Amino acid sequence: MIRDYLSYSSFDLFRRDPDSWVLRYVYDLSQPTTPKMALGKIFSEAYAQSTYDVAKAVQGANLTPQEASMVTKALADPLLIRPAPEWCEYKLENVVNGIPLLAFLDALDKDNESDTIVENKTGATWNQERADTSDQLTLYSIVYDSL
């Protein structure tokens, strides 16, 4: 089913694989969950809920020990920003230049003088250049700044 908004995931899938975009967004057929997708979901749940049972989720997703360690390592990172749960998986919607946009931030950190958009990537290292050139962060910033 065609959505009445543009999200980063829709934009990115269309750019990478238009045929898969049609299957997902026109015919509403989702792809099977990959280990990478399972890792991201487990991390997101544990990131937002300190009581989330990571070991049980990892076992249920049939991840390898190496994949499981990626989640626990990422959650234990001392540089990880951990906002209050109500700011995790934070939904932003706005119309910009006539285009309805939707952004689901991993979190919005409101503990600073200015708000910080948090986007976690398990298994990937971020640096300033990557952040500055990320289409995903650019879209999220456009939606946030236009509120």
Side-chain angles (χ1 to χ4, degrees):
M1 118 182 125
I2 297 181
R3 314 265 166 81
D4 58 355
Y5 57 82
L6 178 65
S7 67
Y8 176 75
S9 57
S10 173
F11 166 76
D12 187 52
L13 181 59
F14 184 82
R15 178 175 52 182
R16 287 182 293 110
D17 187 348
D19 292 336
S20 290
W21 183 91
V22 169
L23 291 174
R24 167 105 191 241
Y25 292 98
V26 175
Y27 296 109
D28 203 24
L29 299 173
S30 59
Q31 299 290 329
T33 301
T34 65
K36 187 176 179 179
M37 292 166 64
L39 274 173
K41 177 144 181 64
I42 292 168
F43 176 86
S44 293
E45 294 292 334
Y47 177 74
Q49 305 170 38
S50 61
T51 59
Y52 187 75
D53 190 342
V54 173
K56 183 178 179 181
V58 163
Q59 187 177 28
N62 294 320
L63 298 176
T64 67
Q66 181 181 8
E67 291 166 334
S69 72
M70 290 173 65
V71 174
T72 53
K73 183 179 175 183
L75 289 166
D77 187 330
L79 298 177
L80 184 67
I81 297 171
R82 299 293 293 256
E86 63 266 21
W87 297 109
C88 294
E89 286 297 313
Y90 194 72
K91 182 179 179 179
L92 295 176
E93 296 177 277
N94 205 1
V95 177
V96 179
N97 294 332
I99 302 169
L101 299 175
L102 172 70
F104 275 102
L105 312 181
D106 283 350
L108 185 62
D109 183 18
K110 300 194 69 76
D111 289 336
N112 299 312
E113 290 181 19
S114 63
D115 296 344
T116 301
I117 293 172
V118 178
E119 180 60 28
N120 297 304
K121 297 293 183 200
T122 53
T125 303
W126 281 87
N127 57 31
Q128 191 60 52
E129 180 182 0
R130 183 173 179 200
D132 290 343
T133 59
S134 166
D135 292 335
Q136 185 175 16
L137 291 178
T138 298
L139 178 68
Y140 289 179
S141 295
I142 289 168
V143 176
Y144 180 78
D145 290 342
S146 64
L147 294 174

